Amino acid sequence: MGHAAPGIWDADPSEGLRVRPGFVLADVDTDSTPGYSGDKKTAVGHLAAGAAELDRLQEMLFANSRLGDNRKILLVLQAMDTAGKGGILRHVVGSVDPQGVEIAAFKKPTSEELEHDFLWRVRPHAPSAGMIGVFDRSHYEDVLIARVRELAPAEEIERRYDAINAFEQELVDDDTTVIKVMLHIGTDEQKARLQERLDRPEKHWKFNPGDIDERLLTPKYREAYQLVFDRTATDAAPWYVIPADKKWFARIAVQQLLIDALRDMELSWPVADFDVEAEKARLAAS
Amino acid sequence: MGHAAPGIWDADPSEGLRVRPGFVLADVDTDSTPGYSGDKKTAVGHLAAGAAELDRLQEMLFANSRLGDNRKILLVLQAMDTAGKGGILRHVVGSVDPQGVEIAAFKKPTSEELEHDFLWRVRPHAPSAGMIGVFDRSHYEDVLIARVRELAPAEEIERRYDAINAFEQELVDDDTTVIKVMLHIGTDEQKARLQERLDRPEKHWKFNPGDIDERLLTPKYREAYQLVFDRTATDAAPWYVIPADKKWFARIAVQQLLIDALRDMELSWPVADFDVEAEKARLAAS
């Protein structure tokens, strides 16, 4: 599966950014660009070129689904505030035909949702055949904020890791390529981005006083993320930690993960399941 | 509400393409570009410029929704096969941040859906506050294909027009701007587009033998559309018929309808509902 785009990546991000046994979040430099020796300017060009390829590959995936291919992709996006999930959605996912994308944003659970198991609200959003599904936050909040803010008993949190692994294995068994991404932003860069939201009135709507409350809990969140990686970085559904201080790097990295996943499918245009010449004759007569 | 972009449109498409009492579908030239004196080349430039404006306006709508503004847009797309719905989704809707778009594609109803009233499957897809919702086909199929292929008794079809008007009035009362578009393609142009799908193997997946069956029923569909316009072109939820032989025209026309609807909302960036200076101090201390 080593297939980094020649000349763009020195090391395939599907390998270089992947969480392996022994991974230590605290060792990751949030300002680094592992595997990529280009700069912001080259990244802009690579993002544009990758957008066209990603769009074409997804269309091919969708085309095959019309003839019974059940494969699909699920991209799980997790991050602290301001780390750039929105930018990934806009600039990476947004380059794909919107008919081929299913985005589910998981916010604070409603009282109805809280009456059910934590996966109850997630399951209906598993992507359909031929689609790129994206979870903007996800069931991982139920072991992240739920752990940090003690929203559930400790033994329930413990149970959830296994439940998550079982759920994701189900998705994989249903022909889903699961790509789990944590955008990892540094505290200084986060401060600068929050400052910008406060300095610019047209950005005020993106700011919530709760963002600073969360920021103050960053050490606890990082502990919770480390546990997530320790418990749920499986062969079936791997995690990727992407240094996110440089937005341009995070974007080309996530894009490349998607492109690699689609390339691995070795897609081609599906063969017609009807008699082409007969249909041409019918059309001519119509 | 007359606000055609100066220099682009000779006549505001919100007016010029709108179905008014006495409208006759058979009088529309599918190859025309009403209100627009540019050509394909100028349209490409206008589409790009409009994309940026549409994206910005939708973001402003979304921003306001975070602070309680309930407004949203619903674009209903109806058309015969190959008329260009997919291109509208890709090239017009696709230029908006995907987080601000909700697309619902209505295909042949499932047996479960058929056990309910025809609006049962539609209601859950009414767009949320701040969003541009798009129906790719819609409840109108229940008075179009349902009429042409006699999938429901005549009196049930009759009942549905009123039910549709009542449903759409509900949406409008819930602060939804409803924009109903029929992309109107000519039979010759449709034949050419179907031919292309048959001639190019990578397009075969887009072709379905049923497309020719439907094509043969074009006169009956046009009668059914005329009835739709007669019965459901309301002040609350207007119809627009867009000549669609020229893809570039259909795209800038739909884009302009969306832009006009958003301009009519007279949006501005919402004012912060928190104490900006206090938050700056908290951030500095964090």
Side-chain angles (χ1 to χ4, degrees), chain B residues 207-221:
Chain B
F207 181 88
N208 186 309
D211 296 347
I212 295 182
D213 301 330
E214 291 292 284
R215 171 175 167 77
L216 294 168
L217 294 169
T218 298
K220 285 186 180 294
Y221 272 104

mmCIF file of all heavy atoms in Angstrom, chain B residues 207-221:
data_model
loop_
_atom_site.group_PDB
_atom_site.id
_atom_site.type_symbol
_atom_site.label_atom_id
_atom_site.label_comp_id
_atom_site.label_asym_id
_atom_site.label_seq_id
_atom_site.Cartn_x
_atom_site.Cartn_y
_atom_site.Cartn_z
ATOM 1 N N PHE B 207 -26.166 5.852 -17.459
ATOM 2 C CA PHE B 207 -27.294 5.516 -18.327
ATOM 3 C C PHE B 207 -28.092 4.365 -17.754
ATOM 4 O O PHE B 207 -27.549 3.419 -17.204
ATOM 5 C CB PHE B 207 -26.778 5.132 -19.723
ATOM 6 C CG PHE B 207 -27.889 4.803 -20.681
ATOM 7 C CD1 PHE B 207 -28.478 5.802 -21.433
ATOM 8 C CD2 PHE B 207 -28.364 3.501 -20.803
ATOM 9 C CE1 PHE B 207 -29.525 5.504 -22.299
ATOM 10 C CE2 PHE B 207 -29.409 3.195 -21.662
ATOM 11 C CZ PHE B 207 -29.987 4.202 -22.412
ATOM 12 N N ASN B 208 -29.397 4.489 -17.922
ATOM 13 C CA ASN B 208 -30.300 3.431 -17.484
ATOM 14 C C ASN B 208 -31.306 3.223 -18.605
ATOM 15 O O ASN B 208 -31.859 4.194 -19.122
ATOM 16 C CB ASN B 208 -31.010 3.898 -16.204
ATOM 17 C CG ASN B 208 -31.853 2.815 -15.595
ATOM 18 O OD1 ASN B 208 -32.673 2.190 -16.269
ATOM 19 N ND2 ASN B 208 -31.655 2.581 -14.311
ATOM 20 N N PRO B 209 -31.530 1.986 -19.016
ATOM 21 C CA PRO B 209 -32.497 1.778 -20.114
ATOM 22 C C PRO B 209 -33.848 2.449 -19.836
ATOM 23 O O PRO B 209 -34.533 2.876 -20.772
ATOM 24 C CB PRO B 209 -32.612 0.256 -20.176
ATOM 25 C CG PRO B 209 -31.277 -0.237 -19.700
ATOM 26 C CD PRO B 209 -30.871 0.728 -18.611
ATOM 27 N N GLY B 210 -34.183 2.568 -18.564
ATOM 28 C CA GLY B 210 -35.434 3.243 -18.216
ATOM 29 C C GLY B 210 -35.462 4.703 -18.646
ATOM 30 O O GLY B 210 -36.536 5.287 -18.795
ATOM 31 N N ASP B 211 -34.267 5.299 -18.845
ATOM 32 C CA ASP B 211 -34.218 6.693 -19.285
ATOM 33 C C ASP B 211 -34.926 6.855 -20.630
ATOM 34 O O ASP B 211 -35.551 7.890 -20.893
ATOM 35 C CB ASP B 211 -32.761 7.167 -19.428
ATOM 36 C CG ASP B 211 -32.004 7.162 -18.101
ATOM 37 O OD1 ASP B 211 -32.652 7.030 -17.046
ATOM 38 O OD2 ASP B 211 -30.768 7.284 -18.131
ATOM 39 N N ILE B 212 -34.791 5.852 -21.495
ATOM 40 C CA ILE B 212 -35.450 5.959 -22.817
ATOM 41 C C ILE B 212 -36.960 5.748 -22.675
ATOM 42 O O ILE B 212 -37.756 6.428 -23.328
ATOM 43 C CB ILE B 212 -34.814 4.987 -23.832
ATOM 44 C CG1 ILE B 212 -33.352 5.408 -24.069
ATOM 45 C CG2 ILE B 212 -35.596 4.990 -25.162
ATOM 46 C CD1 ILE B 212 -32.605 4.572 -25.078
ATOM 47 N N ASP B 213 -37.336 4.848 -21.785
ATOM 48 C CA ASP B 213 -38.776 4.680 -21.515
ATOM 49 C C ASP B 213 -39.393 6.008 -21.066
ATOM 50 O O ASP B 213 -40.476 6.403 -21.520
ATOM 51 C CB ASP B 213 -38.994 3.628 -20.419
ATOM 52 C CG ASP B 213 -38.401 2.273 -20.802
ATOM 53 O OD1 ASP B 213 -38.347 1.976 -22.006
ATOM 54 O OD2 ASP B 213 -37.993 1.533 -19.887
ATOM 55 N N GLU B 214 -38.675 6.682 -20.173
ATOM 56 C CA GLU B 214 -39.172 7.971 -19.690
ATOM 57 C C GLU B 214 -39.211 9.005 -20.824
ATOM 58 O O GLU B 214 -40.159 9.778 -20.940
ATOM 59 C CB GLU B 214 -38.277 8.492 -18.556
ATOM 60 C CG GLU B 214 -38.378 7.694 -17.266
ATOM 61 C CD GLU B 214 -39.726 7.851 -16.591
ATOM 62 O OE1 GLU B 214 -39.966 8.902 -15.972
ATOM 63 O OE2 GLU B 214 -40.560 6.932 -16.691
ATOM 64 N N ARG B 215 -38.149 8.982 -21.627
ATOM 65 C CA ARG B 215 -38.061 9.936 -22.753
ATOM 66 C C ARG B 215 -39.270 9.815 -23.668
ATOM 67 O O ARG B 215 -39.792 10.808 -24.166
ATOM 68 C CB ARG B 215 -36.767 9.655 -23.522
ATOM 69 C CG ARG B 215 -36.617 10.392 -24.831
ATOM 70 C CD ARG B 215 -35.240 10.146 -25.449
ATOM 71 N NE ARG B 215 -35.177 10.581 -26.824
ATOM 72 C CZ ARG B 215 -35.071 11.860 -27.208
ATOM 73 N NH1 ARG B 215 -35.006 12.811 -26.287
ATOM 74 N NH2 ARG B 215 -35.026 12.184 -28.482
ATOM 75 N N LEU B 216 -39.694 8.567 -23.885
ATOM 76 C CA LEU B 216 -40.827 8.352 -24.779
ATOM 77 C C LEU B 216 -42.116 8.937 -24.208
ATOM 78 O O LEU B 216 -43.077 9.152 -24.923
ATOM 79 C CB LEU B 216 -40.986 6.850 -25.051
ATOM 80 C CG LEU B 216 -39.822 6.235 -25.849
ATOM 81 C CD1 LEU B 216 -39.904 4.714 -25.835
ATOM 82 C CD2 LEU B 216 -39.818 6.767 -27.292
ATOM 83 N N LEU B 217 -42.100 9.204 -22.912
ATOM 84 C CA LEU B 217 -43.286 9.769 -22.258
ATOM 85 C C LEU B 217 -43.190 11.290 -22.091
ATOM 86 O O LEU B 217 -43.997 11.887 -21.375
ATOM 87 C CB LEU B 217 -43.476 9.113 -20.886
ATOM 88 C CG LEU B 217 -43.819 7.619 -20.923
ATOM 89 C CD1 LEU B 217 -43.710 7.022 -19.521
ATOM 90 C CD2 LEU B 217 -45.234 7.426 -21.474
ATOM 91 N N THR B 218 -42.207 11.911 -22.760
ATOM 92 C CA THR B 218 -41.987 13.349 -22.570
ATOM 93 C C THR B 218 -43.261 14.189 -22.714
ATOM 94 O O THR B 218 -43.524 15.063 -21.870
ATOM 95 C CB THR B 218 -40.884 13.857 -23.531
ATOM 96 O OG1 THR B 218 -39.666 13.171 -23.220
ATOM 97 C CG2 THR B 218 -40.678 15.353 -23.395
ATOM 98 N N PRO B 219 -44.085 13.952 -23.752
ATOM 99 C CA PRO B 219 -45.300 14.786 -23.853
ATOM 100 C C PRO B 219 -46.184 14.679 -22.605
ATOM 101 O O PRO B 219 -46.724 15.687 -22.129
ATOM 102 C CB PRO B 219 -46.000 14.225 -25.095
ATOM 103 C CG PRO B 219 -44.891 13.606 -25.909
ATOM 104 C CD PRO B 219 -43.940 13.032 -24.896
ATOM 105 N N LYS B 220 -46.311 13.475 -22.070
ATOM 106 C CA LYS B 220 -47.140 13.315 -20.872
ATOM 107 C C LYS B 220 -46.506 13.990 -19.662
ATOM 108 O O LYS B 220 -47.189 14.564 -18.815
ATOM 109 C CB LYS B 220 -47.360 11.825 -20.578
ATOM 110 C CG LYS B 220 -48.369 11.170 -21.527
ATOM 111 C CD LYS B 220 -48.653 9.741 -21.096
ATOM 112 C CE LYS B 220 -49.650 9.069 -22.031
ATOM 113 N NZ LYS B 220 -50.988 9.697 -21.960
ATOM 114 N N TYR B 221 -45.186 13.920 -19.568
ATOM 115 C CA TYR B 221 -44.515 14.609 -18.459
ATOM 116 C C TYR B 221 -44.709 16.118 -18.557
ATOM 117 O O TYR B 221 -44.914 16.794 -17.557
ATOM 118 C CB TYR B 221 -43.017 14.256 -18.421
ATOM 119 C CG TYR B 221 -42.747 13.014 -17.619
ATOM 120 C CD1 TYR B 221 -42.470 11.808 -18.226
ATOM 121 C CD2 TYR B 221 -42.800 13.053 -16.215
ATOM 122 C CE1 TYR B 221 -42.243 10.655 -17.482
ATOM 123 C CE2 TYR B 221 -42.575 11.909 -15.468
ATOM 124 C CZ TYR B 221 -42.296 10.715 -16.100
ATOM 125 O OH TYR B 221 -42.090 9.592 -15.356
#
